[in-house]
Amino acid sequence: MPVTTITFRRQVLRTGWSKLPALVSEVNAGPNRIPTPRHCTFLLSGQQKGRTVDGRFVNRTTNTTTATTTTTATATHTARTMGGCASKDKKDSKVVENETAAAGTGGGTDADAANGGEGCVSNSMVFLSRNKSDTMVDAAVLEKMEAGFAKLAASDSKSLLKKYLTREVFDALKNKKTSFGSTLLDCVQSGFENPDSGVGIYAPDAEAYTLFADLFDPIIEDYHKGFKKTDKHPQRDFGDVNAFGNVDPTGEFVVSTRVRCGRSMEGYPFNPCLTEAQYKEMEDKVSATLSGLEGELKGKFYPLTGMDKAVQQQLIDDHFLFKEGDRFLQAANACRFWPTGRGIYHNDNKTFLVWCNEEDHLRIISMQMGGDLGQIYRRLVTAVNDIEKRIPFSHHDRLGFLTFCPTNLGTTIRASVHIKVPKLAKDYAKLEATADKYNLQVRGTRGEHSEAEGGIYDISNKRRMGLTEFQAVKEMYDGISEIIKIEKSL
């Protein structure tokens, strides 16, 4: 029986994208095989990227398999499916289906057009003709980049962006564009608008780390204390989860302890490129996954959309509720369609928390009052291992787990304490020197870009790359132990 677009698409959806090359081969082995080979590069929901298979397009208007008229084509989701970064003009892609597809034509029904079409391949993939306009950066975007670069260069900014975005690097990267349509501007516009940024750069999609590597790599090396572009992040290793004890057993100094990690869901771009539909889809997946957690992790998911006022106030009182992104995230276009797709999960004991689509797709958090790092770390490791069985996460062979901000790459682990050190606070230089010795970062009470309240500091590990999860947490454990020792001696 001849293969149609409808049956081909049903096969793909039933068997999964990983079976696509086999399906194409099956089509080619049949009586309708076209002997002249054609190659198609597939970008499948961010997976199997760059994979080339010997294949054909299937003509939706006939019952025969038809060879493409374009030797090389790129299959990717439409802007409706995959998203598109907010700063770019979304006029770039011309869809072609064997040069017969056009809006409202080609044999599809009105229902097909309205719903993406049971008989329309473009609902699951679109074959794009990558002509010159697809890869060109708009003149308006270039103009905005030039203005931002000049503004940053003239500022007294101490950001890593200013340090490494030289004119030479800027000129080499300004005309580049990822397959999601992300430009250099999408990476640096937050740093342009906020010269007081410490870093000043974000990755709008995973591909940006490679395409704009001339800028990302030196920033990553600087921030992560020498992780060079030739280095490779080690495999995940939580180590001996019973190795840590209570860093402050008397409860004299440590107010609370928290260990968190970030995760990106495989098959989705980062916040600036997500569509509203994708936000909703991700929230549904996360909510369904977390509802299956048992034991100490069992709890409830609270979507931000339509949240009851009483619930909202309780979450605020518990210091659980995250707000719409700060000005740094706003400038990076990380808060689109707010509050759609955002939500918070916490367990019954309020010691385990998951943020959905705040800065990263997922922030998995274990925390409690006091300094029992061992208990907190074991809880986090249990949760991450359980969730990872249910949701595949984006991982890079060299960079480790992928995140929106390059400061969180690798282990993505941030182990922190809220700690009272009134004597050391009077000699802040000594506090910072001790923290630097153990690769720790000192922040205000409410984290980055905040002040210390009541002499309470947020101190955490700074390095996340080039070391294991266990080693990252141990740096914090050893450093806090030393800070407490010094505070006692003063």
Side-chain angles (χ1 to χ4, degrees):
M1 177 180 178
V3 179
T4 66
T5 295
I6 296 175
T7 58
F8 183 78
R9 178 174 178 268
R10 284 173 177 166
Q11 278 285 88
V12 170
L13 295 178
R14 184 168 63 249
T15 61
W17 290 111
S18 63
K19 303 294 184 183
L20 185 56
L23 289 175
V24 173
S25 297
E26 182 180 339
V27 171
N28 289 341
N32 296 309
R33 183 183 186 276
I34 305 299
T36 305
R38 296 290 184 266
H39 292 83
C40 183
T41 302
F42 289 93
L43 296 179
L44 305 176
S45 298
Q47 303 175 42
Q48 299 184 27
K49 181 177 159 187
R51 184 169 184 173
T52 301
V53 295
D54 187 1
R56 307 287 185 282
F57 292 6
V58 181
N59 193 327
R60 73 187 293 256
T61 62
T62 69
N63 284 334
T64 61
T65 311
T66 309
T68 69
T69 58
T70 307
T71 301
T72 302
T74 302
T76 184
H77 280 211
T78 59
R80 176 188 62 202
T81 306
M82 287 297 282
C85 290
S87 69
K88 74 182 181 70
D89 187 345
K90 298 189 180 72
K91 296 185 295 184
D92 42 15
S93 299
K94 180 181 179 180
V95 178
V96 291
E97 268 187 56
N98 302 328
E99 297 185 326
T100 65
T105 66
T109 65
D110 291 340
D112 285 339
N115 297 307
E118 172 71 19
C120 180
V121 173
S122 62
N123 187 47
S124 294
M125 56 184 166
V126 176
F127 300 95
L128 300 178
S129 175
R130 295 288 288 174
N131 55 34
K132 187 175 180 181
S133 63
D134 293 330
T135 56
M136 287 182 62
V137 176
D138 294 339
V141 173
L142 285 170
E143 184 178 351
K144 189 173 182 179
M145 268 194 271
E146 290 285 356
F149 179 80
K151 178 182 177 182
L152 183 68
S155 74
D156 59 355
S157 174
K158 301 297 189 295
S159 70
L160 294 181
L161 176 64
K162 182 179 179 181
K163 183 177 180 180
Y164 293 105
L165 187 61
T166 64
R167 169 53 72 174
E168 181 182 12
V169 171
F170 179 79
D171 287 341
L173 300 180
K174 67 182 181 181
N175 288 300
K176 293 187 176 183
K177 206 177 193 183
T178 73
S179 61
F180 287 96
S182 304
T183 68
L184 178 63
L185 182 61
D186 292 299
C187 302
V188 302
Q189 58 188 345
S190 182
F192 281 174
E193 294 183 28
N194 298 286
D196 57 335
S197 297
V199 178
I201 188 171
Y202 294 95
D205 58 64
E207 189 182 329
Y209 282 116
T210 301
L211 188 65
F212 303 110
D214 288 347
L215 179 57
F216 275 105
D217 283 349
I219 289 176
I220 288 170
E221 180 177 348
D222 191 312
Y223 185 88
H224 294 281
K225 301 290 185 181
F227 186 85
K228 300 178 177 60
K229 62 181 180 181
T230 54
D231 291 340
K232 184 176 181 180
H233 184 74
Q235 291 295 312
R236 186 184 70 169
D237 183 4
F238 287 113
D240 181 2
V241 296
N242 295 310
F244 303 117
N246 193 322
V247 72
D248 179 27
T250 65
E252 185 179 353
F253 304 100
V254 175
V255 178
S256 62
T257 305
R258 185 177 86 155
V259 184
R260 61 88 165 156
C261 65
R263 289 292 187 267
S264 298
M265 295 170 65
E266 192 175 81
Y268 294 90
F270 302 150
N271 274 334
C273 296
L274 286 170
T275 65
E276 187 172 15
Q278 284 176 311
Y279 271 118
K280 292 177 181 178
E281 180 179 272
M282 292 169 74
E283 180 187 329
D284 289 343
K285 287 183 179 180
V286 171
S287 176
T289 295
L290 298 178
S291 67
L293 297 179
E294 297 292 341
E296 184 187 14
L297 303 177
K298 185 178 181 181
K300 183 178 179 180
F301 185 85
Y302 301 87
L304 264 63
T305 301
M307 181 177 287
D308 180 80
K309 293 295 183 183
V311 171
Q312 183 180 27
Q313 188 58 51
Q314 185 61 56
L315 290 170
I316 291 173
D317 293 342
D318 290 334
H319 303 287
F320 284 179
L321 187 64
F322 60 84
K323 301 177 181 179
E324 188 169 356
D326 58 25
R327 58 188 170 92
F328 301 91
L329 293 176
Q330 291 275 6
N333 283 321
C335 305
R336 302 172 68 205
F337 310 112
W338 194 278
T340 298
R342 279 78 173 187
I344 298 171
Y345 174 94
H346 71 73
N347 67 344
D348 296 338
N349 294 331
K350 298 183 178 180
T351 56
F352 172 67
L353 183 69
V354 179
W355 291 350
C356 177
N357 284 322
E358 182 244 5
E359 177 178 325
D360 289 314
H361 295 167
L362 292 178
R363 284 282 175 90
I364 305 170
I365 305 164
S366 177
M367 63 184 190
Q368 66 190 51
M369 303 303 289
D372 194 345
L373 178 61
Q375 185 177 7
I376 294 162
Y377 184 59
R378 286 189 293 275
R379 184 187 303 121
L380 179 86
V381 173
T382 299
V384 172
N385 287 337
D386 198 338
I387 295 172
E388 196 167 33
K389 293 175 184 176
R390 308 159 190 256
I391 297 178
F393 295 136
S394 295
H395 187 273
H396 189 278
D397 285 344
R398 189 178 80 82
L399 300 176
F401 288 102
L402 297 177
T403 54
F404 180 47
C405 181
T407 65
N408 291 321
L409 289 168
T411 64
T412 77
I413 287 281
R414 183 175 186 267
S416 63
V417 295
H418 274 182
I419 186 170
K420 295 178 292 184
V421 283
K423 296 176 183 177
L424 263 177
K426 295 176 182 178
D427 188 354
Y428 189 75
K430 187 172 185 177
L431 174 61
E432 282 212 313
T434 305
D436 286 343
K437 179 181 176 181
Y438 290 90
N439 298 311
L440 302 185
Q441 183 176 39
V442 181
R443 297 177 173 179
T445 308
R446 299 185 181 276
E448 194 171 16
H449 313 303
S450 69
E451 300 294 328
E453 299 173 3
I456 297 175
Y457 291 94
D458 179 317
I459 303 180
S460 64
N461 63 299
K462 184 175 182 180
R463 292 199 307 156
R464 318 215 205 292
M465 297 189 75
L467 73 173
T468 67
E469 287 78 1
F470 179 83
Q471 291 168 336
V473 175
K474 190 174 188 304
E475 285 193 337
M476 187 278 273
Y477 183 80
D478 292 344
I480 295 301
S481 297
E482 180 66 15
I483 287 173
I484 290 176
K485 181 181 176 181
I486 294 173
E487 179 71 12
K488 287 180 176 180
S489 70
L490 294 177

